[in-house]
Amino acid sequence: MSSDAEDLIKQLEELIDVIELPIGPIYRCIRKSLAKIYLESGKEMEGIFNLVESHAVSLRTRMHLRYDRTSKEDRHMLDGSLVQHGSAGVSTILDWLCKMPTEWSLVQVTRAYDPTFRFSVNSSKAATSALHIVRYECGARAQQQPPLCVTVPIKLESRSLAAELHAIVADQQEHLKWGTLSSARYHMLKSKLNLRMKNVVSKLQSEWLRHWSSLLIAPYVDLVEEEAVVSFVDQLLERCALTVDARAHRLLCQLAKAAPFLPEWDLRKGVASCVEAPAAVIKDMGHQLSRFPDAVRLLVVRRQPIILLLDEELELFPWEMLTVLQDHPVSRLPSLHVLYTLYKAHKSRIVGGRLQVDAGLGYYIVNPEQNLPRNEKRLRTFLTQRAPSWKGTFGVAPSSDAFRDVLQHNNMFIYSGHGSGAQFLQGDEIQKLHLRAVPFLFGCSSVSSKHLGGLVEPGGMWHFYHIANCPMVVGNLWSVTDTASDVITVHLLHRLLPQTRDMAMDAEKGEVPPKATECKDPDAPELWRPSGYNWKQEPDLLYAINRSHSSNKHYLATAALVARGLPILIIGKVC
């Protein structure tokens, strides 16, 4: 490391030391600047540490202040000291990774430092010049596979992708006001929005991530499948008479898993980034990777969960829709600190890397403001039959006390109305609670992060849920129509929840119950009465969300639905 770099690091770290209460964007820029210097100087772990520190600055400040101002008797299991700025060094981060479940793999995506961001009112819309992608393994795998970081430059012509994403979301918001249009015109405009979003997702993988999208792929549940990939890579290296270090071998294994999703040209570039070899050898290796014989079969093999740790400036992207994450259980959280804090709070209920949630105790609030009559009509039929042990209300506005009681005394909570329900219980009140429940907030923009202007990081209602120790929040990143939301609600819950007695009887008789005649919506032929015929439960929440993505007609609504929190496994009965 040059003396100039050392001097700059010293100055930046001295600046951090005098900051008592970090201002999000400023602290984030300092940490990203330090990460850039360390990574360019070959000090990877120091660079990774600063990238970790750059995430969720304001949320972590609120979590720590909430903890610090709460008496010891009321702190429950939330340890706010774990999110304190600068309190966790490199050794602490490595220790956290070793303590978390072996089943988890983490991928942190951070937008690289750019000094021009300070001139942007909303930096999430600004041009993106590069990404830092950090891959972490957890538990027993953490020691054999330490964290690694790659920096991915983005070509000039692709840097405005974030601005296009924000434009689509704004146009979708306007789409909700298209009630005066003819049916044909309405569906044409809706199709155009779907195609624009698909194009953004395609470019996110092909032009931003390219071959490094392979780092997002999760390990297989069956270790035999993992060994098959390792064996293939070993044979490929032996054939080419190449010897590589552990890092390059690990990257080649990820490329092999990505073979069905990447063009051969990207596979070659991936090989070239891992090994030093003649062009002909690299070309041959890329070709052999593209013909990995087990690749197609492994597409349908069950995988362990991937947890995305997303920079606030990148979290509006629907990462879960990437083809490399096809049939992957995917969750997202804002930082490693928040993930470890939630893990510590709920680890007693985590088995096999999944937090066990008993579905027998659930509650729903549908159409509380009495302005979504079709939504209420559709879901009344579904919820009363599909979850007979649950309680709930239709067309009734809950008081703040009632909303608080629902959150505190249920394991699962369905909210189907406008927004996130903040109009009934504000975030300042939610963060005072200790929550075990998994809320499904199916309203518009229910888990979005809103830009508040000035030197303030984006914030959303989901922040308050995590401060309250909530292990998982499911919701929408942007506005969706009530019809599309109901389709997704039905598909997700029907697949996720255990079988009822009526469904078991239908399955035993081999009968198919008739479709619900009251569902006349042309957009919602998928809303049928639950049946036990040809049904199989998917108790893994992240898998159930992934497999509810079945309708291209509702692509925008599908892309909006995300899970924020720990992997969940549904147990128990609903009848």
Side-chain angles (χ1 to χ4, degrees):
M1 182 181 293
S2 68
S3 58
D4 289 343
E6 290 179 349
D7 289 342
L8 183 54
I9 287 174
K10 184 178 179 181
Q11 292 174 27
L12 291 172
E13 290 182 341
E14 287 176 350
L15 181 59
I16 288 173
D17 289 340
V18 300
I19 299 177
E20 292 185 8
L21 191 65
I23 299 174
I26 295 175
Y27 185 83
R28 183 174 65 211
C29 283
I30 295 173
R31 287 297 187 181
K32 287 184 178 181
S33 181
L34 280 167
K36 182 175 185 291
I37 298 169
Y38 276 120
L39 291 172
E40 290 177 349
S41 301
K43 293 192 172 184
E44 186 175 45
M45 275 310 305
E46 288 80 0
I48 289 173
F49 164 73
N50 281 282
L51 291 177
V52 169
E53 277 291 313
S54 74
H55 278 231
V57 180
S58 295
L59 172 58
R60 288 162 52 204
T61 298
R62 286 198 293 270
M63 291 180 78
H64 179 66
L65 289 176
R66 175 66 193 155
Y67 174 80
D68 198 42
R69 294 171 181 173
T70 304
S71 65
K72 291 183 179 180
E73 293 75 18
D74 295 331
R75 283 179 181 175
H76 303 293
M77 294 185 292
L78 175 65
D79 188 352
S81 64
L82 296 172
V83 297
Q84 192 171 3
H85 302 288
S87 61
V90 171
S91 60
T92 302
I93 288 174
L94 295 175
D95 181 57
W96 287 357
L97 294 172
C98 291
K99 289 179 178 177
M100 287 191 284
T102 299
E103 292 82 4
W104 293 358
S105 293
L106 322 177
V107 180
Q108 179 177 297
V109 188
T110 310
R111 190 155 74 171
Y113 171 71
D114 187 333
T116 63
F117 285 178
R118 66 182 185 273
F119 301 115
S120 175
V121 176
N122 183 352
S123 60
S124 67
K125 296 182 183 179
T128 303
S129 58
L131 299 175
H132 299 298
I133 304 176
V134 184
R135 171 87 180 208
Y136 309 91
E137 305 300 340
C138 297
R141 292 183 289 117
Q143 293 182 345
Q144 288 78 28
Q145 300 182 32
L148 62 83
C149 177
V150 298
T151 300
V152 186
I154 297 174
K155 294 180 180 179
L156 185 62
E157 60 269 23
S158 302
R159 293 180 181 179
S160 60
L161 194 60
E164 167 64 4
L165 174 64
H166 280 267
I168 295 170
V169 171
D171 289 346
Q172 167 71 353
Q173 176 66 40
E174 192 65 25
H175 164 224
L176 299 179
K177 305 173 184 177
W178 292 351
T180 58
L181 298 178
S182 67
S183 177
R185 177 69 174 164
Y186 173 91
H187 288 293
M188 183 190 73
L189 293 173
K190 178 180 177 180
S191 296
K192 285 185 177 180
L193 284 176
N194 284 339
L195 287 173
R196 286 172 63 190
M197 183 59 78
K198 289 179 185 178
N199 190 46
V200 165
V201 172
S202 176
K203 287 185 176 180
L204 179 62
Q205 180 169 315
S206 63
E207 298 182 14
W208 276 30
L209 301 176
R210 302 190 299 279
H211 57 278
W212 294 118
S213 61
S214 61
L215 289 175
L216 276 63
I217 294 179
Y220 305 109
V221 171
D222 192 338
L223 293 178
V224 173
E225 309 294 0
E226 284 289 310
E227 291 168 1
V229 175
V230 173
S231 176
F232 171 76
V233 170
D234 289 342
Q235 291 174 22
L236 181 59
L237 291 169
E238 183 178 356
R239 168 183 166 172
C240 298
L242 291 175
T243 301
V244 298
D245 60 18
R247 178 191 177 98
H249 188 274
R250 182 178 169 191
L251 293 174
L252 288 171
C253 288
Q254 290 298 126
L255 278 173
K257 294 177 184 178
F261 308 109
L262 299 179
E264 187 174 327
W265 175 250
D266 275 346
L267 292 172
R268 289 185 202 173
K269 290 197 292 186
V271 172
S273 66
C274 297
V275 302
E276 294 183 6
V281 174
I282 290 174
K283 180 179 179 180
D284 179 56
M285 290 183 69
H287 181 64
Q288 293 303 318
L289 282 171
S290 70
R291 300 179 65 186
F292 178 30
D294 281 342
V296 176
R297 180 182 63 82
L298 292 176
L299 282 176
V300 296
V301 172
R302 287 188 76 88
R303 299 175 186 268
Q304 301 288 10
I306 278 284
I307 301 176
L308 300 178
L309 308 174
L310 299 174
D311 191 330
E312 287 93 333
E313 297 169 329
L314 298 170
E315 67 107 40
L316 186 62
F317 282 99
W319 298 87
E320 294 83 353
M321 302 299 287
L322 294 171
T323 57
V324 292
L325 292 178
Q326 175 184 315
D327 210 29
H328 275 56
V330 183
S331 180
R332 55 167 68 190
L333 277 165
S335 81
L336 183 59
H337 296 82
V338 177
L339 170 61
Y340 187 70
T341 301
L342 290 176
Y343 163 70
K344 287 274 289 183
H346 298 282
K347 67 177 182 179
S348 63
R349 294 193 292 147
I350 296 176
V351 178
R354 277 81 170 174
L355 177 70
Q356 296 193 336
V357 174
D358 190 336
L361 194 60
Y363 199 95
Y364 45 81
I365 295 177
V366 178
N367 187 26
E369 295 174 282
Q370 301 180 17
N371 51 12
L372 296 170
R374 292 192 305 168
N375 160 261
E376 179 180 336
K377 187 176 183 180
R378 288 187 291 250
L379 292 187
R380 181 187 292 271
T381 301
F382 173 76
L383 287 170
T384 54
Q385 296 180 15
R386 189 63 186 86
S389 68
W390 288 12
K391 297 179 181 179
T393 61
F394 298 95
V396 177
S399 66
S400 295
D401 288 340
F403 203 98
R404 183 184 297 108
D405 186 69
V406 166
L407 288 175
Q408 286 186 294
H409 297 101
N410 290 280
N411 295 331
M412 297 180 69
F413 168 54
I414 309 300
Y415 173 82
S416 184
H418 289 295
S420 62
Q423 63 270 44
F424 304 109
L425 187 64
Q426 295 183 353
D428 287 343
E429 293 300 315
I430 289 176
Q431 72 175 1
K432 298 175 183 178
L433 306 177
H434 172 60
L435 301 182
R436 291 166 53 94
V438 177
F440 292 76
L441 309 177
F442 288 112
C444 291
S445 306
S446 55
V447 295
S448 65
S449 296
K450 294 178 175 59
H451 287 270
L452 306 175
L455 293 178
V456 181
E457 288 183 303
M461 278 297 295
W462 61 276
H463 282 193
F464 298 107
Y465 277 96
H466 284 328
I467 294 172
N469 239 10
C470 184
M472 165 67 78
V473 185
V474 178
N476 293 308
L477 291 174
W478 50 76
S479 298
V480 296
T481 63
D482 63 319
T483 297
S485 178
D486 290 349
V487 171
I488 292 171
T489 301
V490 167
H491 277 211
L492 171 59
L493 294 179
H494 182 56
R495 190 182 298 273
L496 179 66
L497 296 177
Q499 195 176 46
T500 65
R501 291 190 185 96
D502 288 344
M503 290 171 64
M505 292 173 62
D506 288 340
E508 186 176 344
K509 297 175 183 177
E511 294 181 357
V512 183
K515 293 183 179 180
T517 56
E518 65 268 24
C519 293
K520 299 294 186 181
D521 298 287
D523 270 355
E526 305 93 331
L527 289 175
W528 32 262
R529 186 166 76 87
S531 73
Y533 187 78
N534 199 28
W535 170 88
K536 183 179 181 181
Q537 185 193 13
E538 178 48 77
D540 186 316
L541 172 59
L542 300 182
Y543 257 122
I545 290 175
N546 179 282
R547 289 170 180 174
S548 69
H549 296 174
S550 58
S551 175
N552 286 331
K553 182 164 57 179
H554 303 296
Y555 186 85
L556 260 174
T558 294
L561 189 70
V562 299
R564 297 187 181 275
L566 307 177
I568 300 291
L569 183 73
I570 297 299
I571 60 174
K573 298 179 179 181
V574 290
C575 56

